[in-house]
Amino acid sequence: MGVENVIEWIQSAYPNDSWKLDSHNGDDFGDMLGRSFAKYTDEEILNAVEKVIDNVQELPSVATIKKYADNARRANRVPYYQELPFTRQKVDMRQVEKARSQVFSKEKTYSPVITPELRNFAKAHFHDITDTLIAKNYCELIANMETDCMENGYPTTMWMNKKTGCIDTRVVIPWNIRKSKSSFDKFGKEE
């Protein structure tokens, strides 16, 4: 949208005073509009001119249009909210750094704390599992222990790779749910 469009719009809204914006006066008015509204969006300018036309009976000055634009800009401004104060416990970074250095050291001196509950949970699923394998799969076992072997309402089962000793968790979807969500039978043929 250009300044010419704004001038034409104002001239059509104020036909008795439109002669004041012809030729030289119109050029001066347009220059003032262009300089005054350089930092405004087209939408802000149009809204301001619309408000001026609704509220001002005579041909408005650039200052009047700018006043309406400033008021609209202030009304649409998002208020600034200060951050709410919150208390935060200090973390002893020495312990974090010690654990980090143990995990990433070449000697691999870090070993997770294997609680009796975790050991019993692991033995219930894998009767011959050792503490070394429990430590290796610590995150997977803890996650399954905390969720009672459930994922999004479905039961899960854990599988151990015999070669690597890594435990993998898989979601078990009962056959009647699978069958209702699919039109394929158990052999992959469409019914």
Side-chain angles (χ1 to χ4, degrees), residues 139-169:
C139 294
E140 196 76 24
L141 290 168
I142 285 287
N144 280 305
M145 187 173 81
E146 288 177 353
T147 61
D148 287 332
C149 290
M150 295 292 285
E151 182 71 35
N152 294 329
Y154 293 110
T156 59
T157 183
M158 293 183 287
W159 297 76
M160 184 185 294
N161 186 325
K162 297 289 183 186
K163 292 179 184 174
T164 62
C166 291
I167 294 176
D168 182 33
T169 301

PDB file of all heavy atoms in Angstrom, residues 139-169:
ATOM      1  N   CYS A 139      19.653 -48.603  32.612  1.00  0.00           N
ATOM      2  CA  CYS A 139      18.597 -47.661  32.209  1.00  0.00           C
ATOM      3  C   CYS A 139      17.344 -48.384  31.724  1.00  0.00           C
ATOM      4  O   CYS A 139      16.219 -48.015  32.091  1.00  0.00           O
ATOM      5  CB  CYS A 139      19.103 -46.710  31.122  1.00  0.00           C
ATOM      6  SG  CYS A 139      20.402 -45.617  31.701  1.00  0.00           S
ATOM      7  N   GLU A 140      17.522 -49.409  30.926  1.00  0.00           N
ATOM      8  CA  GLU A 140      16.386 -50.157  30.389  1.00  0.00           C
ATOM      9  C   GLU A 140      15.624 -50.866  31.508  1.00  0.00           C
ATOM     10  O   GLU A 140      14.392 -50.844  31.551  1.00  0.00           O
ATOM     11  CB  GLU A 140      16.901 -51.187  29.370  1.00  0.00           C
ATOM     12  CG  GLU A 140      15.857 -51.763  28.477  1.00  0.00           C
ATOM     13  CD  GLU A 140      15.425 -50.807  27.378  1.00  0.00           C
ATOM     14  OE1 GLU A 140      16.182 -49.913  27.004  1.00  0.00           O
ATOM     15  OE2 GLU A 140      14.295 -50.971  26.920  1.00  0.00           O
ATOM     16  N   LEU A 141      16.365 -51.467  32.444  1.00  0.00           N
ATOM     17  CA  LEU A 141      15.721 -52.176  33.550  1.00  0.00           C
ATOM     18  C   LEU A 141      14.999 -51.214  34.490  1.00  0.00           C
ATOM     19  O   LEU A 141      13.876 -51.479  34.918  1.00  0.00           O
ATOM     20  CB  LEU A 141      16.757 -52.999  34.314  1.00  0.00           C
ATOM     21  CG  LEU A 141      17.311 -54.218  33.563  1.00  0.00           C
ATOM     22  CD1 LEU A 141      18.526 -54.787  34.273  1.00  0.00           C
ATOM     23  CD2 LEU A 141      16.237 -55.283  33.419  1.00  0.00           C
ATOM     24  N   ILE A 142      15.634 -50.086  34.812  1.00  0.00           N
ATOM     25  CA  ILE A 142      15.002 -49.105  35.694  1.00  0.00           C
ATOM     26  C   ILE A 142      13.726 -48.563  35.056  1.00  0.00           C
ATOM     27  O   ILE A 142      12.693 -48.428  35.720  1.00  0.00           O
ATOM     28  CB  ILE A 142      15.983 -47.947  36.014  1.00  0.00           C
ATOM     29  CG1 ILE A 142      17.040 -48.399  36.999  1.00  0.00           C
ATOM     30  CG2 ILE A 142      15.264 -46.713  36.535  1.00  0.00           C
ATOM     31  CD1 ILE A 142      16.548 -48.587  38.416  1.00  0.00           C
ATOM     32  N   ALA A 143      13.774 -48.243  33.774  1.00  0.00           N
ATOM     33  CA  ALA A 143      12.601 -47.703  33.081  1.00  0.00           C
ATOM     34  C   ALA A 143      11.449 -48.702  33.114  1.00  0.00           C
ATOM     35  O   ALA A 143      10.297 -48.333  33.371  1.00  0.00           O
ATOM     36  CB  ALA A 143      12.954 -47.341  31.644  1.00  0.00           C
ATOM     37  N   ASN A 144      11.739 -49.963  32.865  1.00  0.00           N
ATOM     38  CA  ASN A 144      10.680 -50.980  32.879  1.00  0.00           C
ATOM     39  C   ASN A 144      10.188 -51.243  34.291  1.00  0.00           C
ATOM     40  O   ASN A 144       9.007 -51.515  34.495  1.00  0.00           O
ATOM     41  CB  ASN A 144      11.178 -52.274  32.237  1.00  0.00           C
ATOM     42  CG  ASN A 144      11.144 -52.195  30.737  1.00  0.00           C
ATOM     43  OD1 ASN A 144      10.115 -51.907  30.148  1.00  0.00           O
ATOM     44  ND2 ASN A 144      12.283 -52.414  30.106  1.00  0.00           N
ATOM     45  N   MET A 145      11.073 -51.174  35.270  1.00  0.00           N
ATOM     46  CA  MET A 145      10.662 -51.388  36.655  1.00  0.00           C
ATOM     47  C   MET A 145       9.737 -50.252  37.112  1.00  0.00           C
ATOM     48  O   MET A 145       8.732 -50.499  37.777  1.00  0.00           O
ATOM     49  CB  MET A 145      11.898 -51.466  37.562  1.00  0.00           C
ATOM     50  CG  MET A 145      11.564 -51.846  38.995  1.00  0.00           C
ATOM     51  SD  MET A 145      13.023 -52.118  40.004  1.00  0.00           S
ATOM     52  CE  MET A 145      13.444 -50.436  40.411  1.00  0.00           C
ATOM     53  N   GLU A 146      10.047 -49.023  36.734  1.00  0.00           N
ATOM     54  CA  GLU A 146       9.232 -47.882  37.157  1.00  0.00           C
ATOM     55  C   GLU A 146       7.873 -47.850  36.476  1.00  0.00           C
ATOM     56  O   GLU A 146       6.901 -47.358  37.047  1.00  0.00           O
ATOM     57  CB  GLU A 146       9.976 -46.580  36.891  1.00  0.00           C
ATOM     58  CG  GLU A 146      11.140 -46.363  37.830  1.00  0.00           C
ATOM     59  CD  GLU A 146      11.929 -45.108  37.529  1.00  0.00           C
ATOM     60  OE1 GLU A 146      11.657 -44.445  36.501  1.00  0.00           O
ATOM     61  OE2 GLU A 146      12.830 -44.791  38.318  1.00  0.00           O
ATOM     62  N   THR A 147       7.759 -48.382  35.266  1.00  0.00           N
ATOM     63  CA  THR A 147       6.477 -48.369  34.542  1.00  0.00           C
ATOM     64  C   THR A 147       5.728 -49.692  34.663  1.00  0.00           C
ATOM     65  O   THR A 147       4.696 -49.862  34.016  1.00  0.00           O
ATOM     66  CB  THR A 147       6.698 -48.064  33.053  1.00  0.00           C
ATOM     67  OG1 THR A 147       7.529 -49.079  32.480  1.00  0.00           O
ATOM     68  CG2 THR A 147       7.319 -46.699  32.851  1.00  0.00           C
ATOM     69  N   ASP A 148       6.241 -50.607  35.460  1.00  0.00           N
ATOM     70  CA  ASP A 148       5.626 -51.936  35.609  1.00  0.00           C
ATOM     71  C   ASP A 148       5.456 -52.625  34.264  1.00  0.00           C
ATOM     72  O   ASP A 148       4.437 -53.250  33.990  1.00  0.00           O
ATOM     73  CB  ASP A 148       4.268 -51.846  36.320  1.00  0.00           C
ATOM     74  CG  ASP A 148       4.414 -51.556  37.797  1.00  0.00           C
ATOM     75  OD1 ASP A 148       5.456 -51.939  38.374  1.00  0.00           O
ATOM     76  OD2 ASP A 148       3.502 -50.939  38.374  1.00  0.00           O
ATOM     77  N   CYS A 149       6.429 -52.470  33.405  1.00  0.00           N
ATOM     78  CA  CYS A 149       6.439 -53.091  32.074  1.00  0.00           C
ATOM     79  C   CYS A 149       5.192 -52.731  31.272  1.00  0.00           C
ATOM     80  O   CYS A 149       4.567 -53.581  30.627  1.00  0.00           O
ATOM     81  CB  CYS A 149       6.598 -54.607  32.176  1.00  0.00           C
ATOM     82  SG  CYS A 149       8.223 -55.112  32.732  1.00  0.00           S
ATOM     83  N   MET A 150       4.843 -51.430  31.279  1.00  0.00           N
ATOM     84  CA  MET A 150       3.712 -50.940  30.504  1.00  0.00           C
ATOM     85  C   MET A 150       4.177 -49.740  29.688  1.00  0.00           C
ATOM     86  O   MET A 150       5.009 -48.959  30.133  1.00  0.00           O
ATOM     87  CB  MET A 150       2.560 -50.496  31.416  1.00  0.00           C
ATOM     88  CG  MET A 150       1.928 -51.616  32.220  1.00  0.00           C
ATOM     89  SD  MET A 150       1.038 -52.804  31.228  1.00  0.00           S
ATOM     90  CE  MET A 150      -0.425 -51.900  30.827  1.00  0.00           C
ATOM     91  N   GLU A 151       3.629 -49.600  28.492  1.00  0.00           N
ATOM     92  CA  GLU A 151       3.945 -48.467  27.624  1.00  0.00           C
ATOM     93  C   GLU A 151       2.656 -48.026  26.950  1.00  0.00           C
ATOM     94  O   GLU A 151       2.081 -48.775  26.157  1.00  0.00           O
ATOM     95  CB  GLU A 151       4.982 -48.880  26.572  1.00  0.00           C
ATOM     96  CG  GLU A 151       5.416 -47.778  25.658  1.00  0.00           C
ATOM     97  CD  GLU A 151       6.286 -46.736  26.356  1.00  0.00           C
ATOM     98  OE1 GLU A 151       7.072 -47.100  27.229  1.00  0.00           O
ATOM     99  OE2 GLU A 151       6.138 -45.560  26.017  1.00  0.00           O
ATOM    100  N   ASN A 152       2.180 -46.822  27.278  1.00  0.00           N
ATOM    101  CA  ASN A 152       0.940 -46.286  26.721  1.00  0.00           C
ATOM    102  C   ASN A 152      -0.236 -47.236  26.903  1.00  0.00           C
ATOM    103  O   ASN A 152      -1.064 -47.401  26.019  1.00  0.00           O
ATOM    104  CB  ASN A 152       1.107 -45.932  25.246  1.00  0.00           C
ATOM    105  CG  ASN A 152       2.066 -44.804  25.031  1.00  0.00           C
ATOM    106  OD1 ASN A 152       2.192 -43.925  25.883  1.00  0.00           O
ATOM    107  ND2 ASN A 152       2.755 -44.814  23.911  1.00  0.00           N
ATOM    108  N   GLY A 153      -0.306 -47.892  28.040  1.00  0.00           N
ATOM    109  CA  GLY A 153      -1.408 -48.800  28.336  1.00  0.00           C
ATOM    110  C   GLY A 153      -1.225 -50.206  27.799  1.00  0.00           C
ATOM    111  O   GLY A 153      -2.072 -51.063  28.025  1.00  0.00           O
ATOM    112  N   TYR A 154      -0.148 -50.473  27.078  1.00  0.00           N
ATOM    113  CA  TYR A 154       0.108 -51.808  26.549  1.00  0.00           C
ATOM    114  C   TYR A 154       1.236 -52.460  27.339  1.00  0.00           C
ATOM    115  O   TYR A 154       2.195 -51.803  27.736  1.00  0.00           O
ATOM    116  CB  TYR A 154       0.516 -51.747  25.068  1.00  0.00           C
ATOM    117  CG  TYR A 154      -0.592 -51.279  24.165  1.00  0.00           C
ATOM    118  CD1 TYR A 154      -0.528 -50.036  23.551  1.00  0.00           C
ATOM    119  CD2 TYR A 154      -1.696 -52.075  23.925  1.00  0.00           C
ATOM    120  CE1 TYR A 154      -1.539 -49.600  22.715  1.00  0.00           C
ATOM    121  CE2 TYR A 154      -2.715 -51.655  23.089  1.00  0.00           C
ATOM    122  CZ  TYR A 154      -2.635 -50.423  22.490  1.00  0.00           C
ATOM    123  OH  TYR A 154      -3.637 -50.003  21.671  1.00  0.00           O
ATOM    124  N   PRO A 155       1.150 -53.772  27.525  1.00  0.00           N
ATOM    125  CA  PRO A 155       2.240 -54.449  28.231  1.00  0.00           C
ATOM    126  C   PRO A 155       3.488 -54.517  27.354  1.00  0.00           C
ATOM    127  O   PRO A 155       3.406 -54.517  26.128  1.00  0.00           O
ATOM    128  CB  PRO A 155       1.674 -55.852  28.488  1.00  0.00           C
ATOM    129  CG  PRO A 155       0.602 -56.039  27.476  1.00  0.00           C
ATOM    130  CD  PRO A 155       0.063 -54.677  27.175  1.00  0.00           C
ATOM    131  N   THR A 156       4.637 -54.535  28.011  1.00  0.00           N
ATOM    132  CA  THR A 156       5.897 -54.677  27.279  1.00  0.00           C
ATOM    133  C   THR A 156       6.595 -55.945  27.729  1.00  0.00           C
ATOM    134  O   THR A 156       6.314 -56.489  28.797  1.00  0.00           O
ATOM    135  CB  THR A 156       6.841 -53.483  27.550  1.00  0.00           C
ATOM    136  OG1 THR A 156       7.110 -53.409  28.943  1.00  0.00           O
ATOM    137  CG2 THR A 156       6.241 -52.185  27.065  1.00  0.00           C
ATOM    138  N   THR A 157       7.488 -56.397  26.906  1.00  0.00           N
ATOM    139  CA  THR A 157       8.311 -57.544  27.256  1.00  0.00           C
ATOM    140  C   THR A 157       9.750 -57.191  26.941  1.00  0.00           C
ATOM    141  O   THR A 157      10.031 -56.394  26.050  1.00  0.00           O
ATOM    142  CB  THR A 157       7.870 -58.817  26.490  1.00  0.00           C
ATOM    143  OG1 THR A 157       8.654 -59.917  26.927  1.00  0.00           O
ATOM    144  CG2 THR A 157       8.009 -58.652  25.001  1.00  0.00           C
ATOM    145  N   MET A 158      10.668 -57.772  27.702  1.00  0.00           N
ATOM    146  CA  MET A 158      12.092 -57.497  27.494  1.00  0.00           C
ATOM    147  C   MET A 158      12.745 -58.717  26.859  1.00  0.00           C
ATOM    148  O   MET A 158      12.482 -59.848  27.267  1.00  0.00           O
ATOM    149  CB  MET A 158      12.765 -57.167  28.830  1.00  0.00           C
ATOM    150  CG  MET A 158      12.288 -55.870  29.434  1.00  0.00           C
ATOM    151  SD  MET A 158      13.150 -55.444  30.955  1.00  0.00           S
ATOM    152  CE  MET A 158      12.461 -56.627  32.084  1.00  0.00           C
ATOM    153  N   TRP A 159      13.608 -58.464  25.891  1.00  0.00           N
ATOM    154  CA  TRP A 159      14.352 -59.508  25.201  1.00  0.00           C
ATOM    155  C   TRP A 159      15.840 -59.217  25.372  1.00  0.00           C
ATOM    156  O   TRP A 159      16.268 -58.081  25.263  1.00  0.00           O
ATOM    157  CB  TRP A 159      14.016 -59.504  23.710  1.00  0.00           C
ATOM    158  CG  TRP A 159      12.582 -59.810  23.415  1.00  0.00           C
ATOM    159  CD1 TRP A 159      11.526 -58.972  23.559  1.00  0.00           C
ATOM    160  CD2 TRP A 159      12.061 -61.031  22.962  1.00  0.00           C
ATOM    161  NE1 TRP A 159      10.371 -59.582  23.199  1.00  0.00           N
ATOM    162  CE2 TRP A 159      10.669 -60.865  22.825  1.00  0.00           C
ATOM    163  CE3 TRP A 159      12.619 -62.259  22.642  1.00  0.00           C
ATOM    164  CZ2 TRP A 159       9.839 -61.876  22.391  1.00  0.00           C
ATOM    165  CZ3 TRP A 159      11.777 -63.255  22.203  1.00  0.00           C
ATOM    166  CH2 TRP A 159      10.406 -63.058  22.082  1.00  0.00           C
ATOM    167  N   MET A 160      16.620 -60.256  25.605  1.00  0.00           N
ATOM    168  CA  MET A 160      18.057 -60.064  25.743  1.00  0.00           C
ATOM    169  C   MET A 160      18.762 -60.712  24.560  1.00  0.00           C
ATOM    170  O   MET A 160      18.506 -61.879  24.231  1.00  0.00           O
ATOM    171  CB  MET A 160      18.592 -60.676  27.037  1.00  0.00           C
ATOM    172  CG  MET A 160      20.082 -60.403  27.230  1.00  0.00           C
ATOM    173  SD  MET A 160      20.812 -61.220  28.652  1.00  0.00           S
ATOM    174  CE  MET A 160      20.001 -60.407  29.984  1.00  0.00           C
ATOM    175  N   ASN A 161      19.643 -59.963  23.944  1.00  0.00           N
ATOM    176  CA  ASN A 161      20.462 -60.485  22.871  1.00  0.00           C
ATOM    177  C   ASN A 161      21.538 -61.358  23.510  1.00  0.00           C
ATOM    178  O   ASN A 161      22.315 -60.895  24.334  1.00  0.00           O
ATOM    179  CB  ASN A 161      21.094 -59.326  22.096  1.00  0.00           C
ATOM    180  CG  ASN A 161      21.851 -59.775  20.878  1.00  0.00           C
ATOM    181  OD1 ASN A 161      22.473 -60.837  20.870  1.00  0.00           O
ATOM    182  ND2 ASN A 161      21.812 -58.947  19.851  1.00  0.00           N
ATOM    183  N   LYS A 162      21.591 -62.623  23.135  1.00  0.00           N
ATOM    184  CA  LYS A 162      22.529 -63.572  23.755  1.00  0.00           C
ATOM    185  C   LYS A 162      23.987 -63.231  23.444  1.00  0.00           C
ATOM    186  O   LYS A 162      24.869 -63.495  24.246  1.00  0.00           O
ATOM    187  CB  LYS A 162      22.230 -65.013  23.298  1.00  0.00           C
ATOM    188  CG  LYS A 162      20.878 -65.513  23.709  1.00  0.00           C
ATOM    189  CD  LYS A 162      20.829 -65.762  25.180  1.00  0.00           C
ATOM    190  CE  LYS A 162      19.475 -66.342  25.563  1.00  0.00           C
ATOM    191  NZ  LYS A 162      19.315 -66.482  26.965  1.00  0.00           N
ATOM    192  N   LYS A 163      24.247 -62.616  22.287  1.00  0.00           N
ATOM    193  CA  LYS A 163      25.624 -62.299  21.915  1.00  0.00           C
ATOM    194  C   LYS A 163      26.146 -61.060  22.643  1.00  0.00           C
ATOM    195  O   LYS A 163      27.266 -61.044  23.126  1.00  0.00           O
ATOM    196  CB  LYS A 163      25.732 -62.089  20.402  1.00  0.00           C
ATOM    197  CG  LYS A 163      25.503 -63.341  19.599  1.00  0.00           C
ATOM    198  CD  LYS A 163      25.613 -63.050  18.122  1.00  0.00           C
ATOM    199  CE  LYS A 163      25.284 -64.296  17.322  1.00  0.00           C
ATOM    200  NZ  LYS A 163      25.241 -64.025  15.895  1.00  0.00           N
ATOM    201  N   THR A 164      25.326 -60.019  22.691  1.00  0.00           N
ATOM    202  CA  THR A 164      25.796 -58.748  23.256  1.00  0.00           C
ATOM    203  C   THR A 164      25.374 -58.547  24.709  1.00  0.00           C
ATOM    204  O   THR A 164      25.991 -57.766  25.431  1.00  0.00           O
ATOM    205  CB  THR A 164      25.257 -57.560  22.439  1.00  0.00           C
ATOM    206  OG1 THR A 164      23.834 -57.563  22.509  1.00  0.00           O
ATOM    207  CG2 THR A 164      25.724 -57.628  21.002  1.00  0.00           C
ATOM    208  N   GLY A 165      24.312 -59.214  25.138  1.00  0.00           N
ATOM    209  CA  GLY A 165      23.811 -59.037  26.489  1.00  0.00           C
ATOM    210  C   GLY A 165      22.947 -57.801  26.646  1.00  0.00           C
ATOM    211  O   GLY A 165      22.580 -57.450  27.765  1.00  0.00           O
ATOM    212  N   CYS A 166      22.609 -57.137  25.536  1.00  0.00           N
ATOM    213  CA  CYS A 166      21.794 -55.936  25.600  1.00  0.00           C
ATOM    214  C   CYS A 166      20.317 -56.313  25.673  1.00  0.00           C
ATOM    215  O   CYS A 166      19.857 -57.206  24.974  1.00  0.00           O
ATOM    216  CB  CYS A 166      22.026 -55.057  24.382  1.00  0.00           C
ATOM    217  SG  CYS A 166      23.669 -54.328  24.366  1.00  0.00           S
ATOM    218  N   ILE A 167      19.599 -55.602  26.516  1.00  0.00           N
ATOM    219  CA  ILE A 167      18.167 -55.848  26.682  1.00  0.00           C
ATOM    220  C   ILE A 167      17.401 -54.852  25.830  1.00  0.00           C
ATOM    221  O   ILE A 167      17.716 -53.663  25.791  1.00  0.00           O
ATOM    222  CB  ILE A 167      17.763 -55.729  28.161  1.00  0.00           C
ATOM    223  CG1 ILE A 167      18.417 -56.852  28.966  1.00  0.00           C
ATOM    224  CG2 ILE A 167      16.254 -55.778  28.321  1.00  0.00           C
ATOM    225  CD1 ILE A 167      18.172 -56.776  30.447  1.00  0.00           C
ATOM    226  N   ASP A 168      16.366 -55.365  25.136  1.00  0.00           N
ATOM    227  CA  ASP A 168      15.531 -54.551  24.271  1.00  0.00           C
ATOM    228  C   ASP A 168      14.093 -54.691  24.760  1.00  0.00           C
ATOM    229  O   ASP A 168      13.637 -55.792  25.047  1.00  0.00           O
ATOM    230  CB  ASP A 168      15.663 -55.053  22.829  1.00  0.00           C
ATOM    231  CG  ASP A 168      14.869 -54.224  21.860  1.00  0.00           C
ATOM    232  OD1 ASP A 168      14.741 -53.010  22.094  1.00  0.00           O
ATOM    233  OD2 ASP A 168      14.377 -54.788  20.866  1.00  0.00           O
ATOM    234  N   THR A 169      13.382 -53.587  24.863  1.00  0.00           N
ATOM    235  CA  THR A 169      11.992 -53.617  25.302  1.00  0.00           C
ATOM    236  C   THR A 169      11.088 -53.530  24.086  1.00  0.00           C
ATOM    237  O   THR A 169      11.297 -52.694  23.208  1.00  0.00           O
ATOM    238  CB  THR A 169      11.698 -52.434  26.244  1.00  0.00           C
ATOM    239  OG1 THR A 169      12.578 -52.515  27.360  1.00  0.00           O
ATOM    240  CG2 THR A 169      10.269 -52.468  26.738  1.00  0.00           C
TER     241      THR A 169
END
